Amino acid sequence: MSSWFYVRDGQREGPVKREQLDALVAEGVVRGDTLVWRAGMTSWARASEMSELGMPPPPPPPPLPPPLPVADAPGEGAWQGPEAPSSEGWTRAEDPAGASAAAGGAVLAGTLATFWSRFLAKLVDVMLLAGIGQGVEWGVSRWVFEGPLPVPPDWAGFFRAALWMVSINTLVAMVYTVYFLSRYEATPGKLLLGLRVVRADGHRLGLWRSLGRFWAERVTGLTFFVGYVMAAFDEEKRALHDFIANTRVVRGARRED
């Protein structure tokens, strides 16, 4: 018996067996306009279009509102806001006209950042953190070691100093990343390049997801850059930590929240 997937609140759910799907239909979780998929289908389809589910067609949509004045209409490719769901999904930056469908096609409209814009933003952040790290090393050496940092053959002092440096620099990087992502949706490097980090549905990360993404990037750092290079080949330009934290990097300022 085929397993089914369905889209709920912009997220892909499943797999579920047919009898479970029928129960979801009875509960009103899966409706006629819900996107569903099973093995053998070439694309997602509305539940009402699947004759085997026996669902009535959805009611016709309400009439469209009158058009906006030209001066107030959002520009082409502009961010539509988190309350404007789109079946087109995220749009790749190098191909604004051709959208890539994501997780059932129920995420919000936006322009995905390119691999190279992400690379340059990361380079800026690395340089800034390196400068901050130099200042931290100088301060720790004066405060803890009362002079220059120990070096071999003082191996005990050397490893103690290394532990201090790694711990403090990790703390500095965490505060730097979490503060800017949760408050501004971007680190200074990404702000400079006009990029933002958002959830898959286009909403802000918040404190805890920003913290989770920071530690997810530590995992990416253990892959000898392979986790970063993934963004060059993924359709939604996701690095490994974006997969783990379920985030996207997009271009342009947020119009509304």
Side-chain angles (χ1 to χ4, degrees):
M1 183 178 293
S2 298
S3 295
W4 290 78
F5 295 84
Y6 63 97
V7 174
R8 182 180 184 185
D9 297 330
Q11 300 293 324
R12 185 177 62 187
E13 304 284 350
V16 297
K17 298 299 183 183
R18 173 58 190 275
E19 56 268 21
Q20 294 174 295
L21 185 67
D22 290 340
L24 292 170
V25 171
E27 295 169 7
V29 176
V30 174
R31 301 183 299 272
D33 58 351
T34 300
L35 294 173
V36 297
W37 183 89
R38 61 166 171 74
M41 295 174 58
T42 58
S43 63
W44 292 81
R46 289 182 171 83
S48 60
E49 298 171 355
M50 305 295 296
S51 58
E52 59 193 284
L53 298 181
M55 298 190 66
L64 293 174
L68 292 172
V70 175
D72 296 330
E76 181 181 355
W79 173 258
Q80 300 299 314
E83 300 303 327
S86 168
S87 61
E88 296 299 320
W90 298 104
T91 302
R92 289 178 291 178
E94 64 269 24
D95 183 16
S100 63
V107 293
L108 302 184
T111 305
L112 290 164
T114 63
F115 170 78
W116 288 111
S117 63
R118 294 189 61 171
F119 173 81
L120 292 175
K122 189 62 175 178
L123 185 61
V124 171
D125 286 326
V126 168
M127 294 173 63
L128 287 174
L129 284 171
I132 296 172
Q134 290 292 324
V136 169
E137 288 184 9
W138 182 89
V140 170
S141 67
R142 297 298 184 275
W143 173 47
V144 177
F145 299 96
E146 300 179 353
L149 295 175
V151 295
D154 181 7
W155 289 104
F158 173 76
F159 286 116
R160 179 169 167 244
L163 181 61
W164 270 92
M165 293 302 101
V166 170
S167 300
I168 294 178
N169 278 295
T170 299
L171 179 62
V172 169
M174 182 175 68
V175 172
Y176 173 97
T177 302
V178 173
Y179 171 77
F180 281 104
L181 285 185
S182 60
R183 185 175 180 85
Y184 299 106
E185 298 187 297
T187 55
K190 287 182 173 61
L191 287 171
L192 184 64
L193 272 292
L195 309 181
R196 294 184 296 112
V197 183
V198 297
R199 298 186 333 201
D201 58 6
H203 289 80
R204 294 177 179 272
L205 297 191
L207 176 64
W208 294 112
R209 193 177 291 255
S210 298
L211 181 62
R213 190 178 189 273
F214 169 80
W215 288 110
E217 190 167 358
R218 302 309 97 184
V219 176
T220 302
L222 299 176
T223 64
F224 299 98
F225 301 105
V226 173
Y228 290 104
V229 175
M230 286 171 58
F233 302 96
D234 179 62
E235 191 175 47
E236 295 182 59
K237 304 304 178 186
R238 292 169 293 182
L240 177 59
H241 44 283
D242 292 310
F243 278 95
I244 297 174
N246 197 19
T247 55
R248 307 291 188 276
V249 180
V250 298
R251 295 196 313 173
R254 179 182 291 278
R255 281 186 169 271
E256 52 184 278
D257 195 31

